[in-house]
Amino acid sequence: MRYAGIVVAGGSARRLSGVDKPALSVGGKPLLARAIHALDGAERVIAVGPRRPGFDVVWTREPVPGTGPVAALAAGLVFVPDDVEAVVVLAADLPGVRRSTVDRLVAAVGDGDGAVLVDAAGERQWLLGAWRVPSLRAAVPEQAENAALRRVLGGLAVAEVPAERGEADDIDTPEDLERHR
């Protein structure tokens, strides 16, 4: 299945004192680079957030920065090519995301609307998923600002993909960062 990728790379990182989370380095590589490299098989990668040098992606911003992941998703969808079947959506703070993660998500879409990674606690990770483009476009509301991602995507036919160890981890706090460094 041909796919594009959207990396949600904005946000205020309040629990990390407003630091540029995607620029944080884990294992010698910025978190943003980890997400972009995981999308190595994508026809196009769109990053939604402040432009950062050194990445060969399409950059965009939501109309009102800081209005949440649904607004970021809507902004990224504008740049998804019409000839791809799916779009992989990744947060930019995932130290354990890999190309194999993306491959498993894309394969799991099947005949449904999408697939999401499920962490060890059984929680769906909405910013670690693959979606059929028409389903995603239909689900995103016109007024995307401050909409809840779980509500927007939760009504779709979603396959659950169990996360491998560390794959669903994200960096939200100084403790998370220290644990992954």
Side-chain angles (χ1 to χ4, degrees):
M1 181 179 298
R2 295 181 63 230
Y3 65 93
I6 296 175
V7 179
V8 178
S12 61
R14 285 185 291 274
R15 291 180 280 181
L16 280 167
S17 302
V19 69
D20 182 9
K21 239 190 330 183
L24 292 173
S25 182
V26 172
K29 185 184 282 189
L31 291 171
L32 180 58
R34 289 177 172 278
I36 291 170
H37 289 149
L39 292 165
D40 192 40
E43 300 291 321
R44 175 181 292 167
V45 176
I46 302 108
V48 184
R51 183 179 297 268
R52 294 166 178 95
F55 297 101
D56 185 22
V57 299
V58 175
W59 287 98
T60 190
R61 290 296 310 253
E62 56 274 54
V64 180
T67 52
V70 177
L73 184 56
L77 276 171
V78 171
F79 295 96
V80 171
D82 290 333
D83 62 342
V84 299
E85 300 165 81
V87 62
V88 175
V89 179
L90 300 177
D93 65 350
L94 305 166
V97 71
R98 303 178 291 279
R99 169 78 188 262
S100 61
T101 310
V102 171
D103 291 344
R104 288 188 355 265
L105 287 166
V106 170
V109 171
D111 293 331
D113 295 316
V116 295
L117 212 64
V118 177
D119 67 18
E123 296 292 322
R124 289 178 172 180
Q125 300 301 304
W126 296 107
L127 288 175
L128 254 167
W131 305 92
R132 289 199 176 277
V133 174
S135 300
L136 194 56
R137 285 191 169 133
V140 172
E142 269 188 55
Q143 297 298 338
E145 292 79 16
N146 301 310
L149 196 58
R150 181 175 314 173
R151 283 200 185 116
V152 168
L153 302 177
L156 298 176
V158 180
E160 295 184 346
V161 177
E164 294 177 0
R165 185 168 187 233
E167 212 172 28
D169 293 353
D170 61 358
I171 304 292
D172 286 331
T173 66
E175 295 78 19
D176 293 339
L177 181 59
E178 195 56 39
R179 185 173 57 251
H180 287 283
R181 283 193 162 156

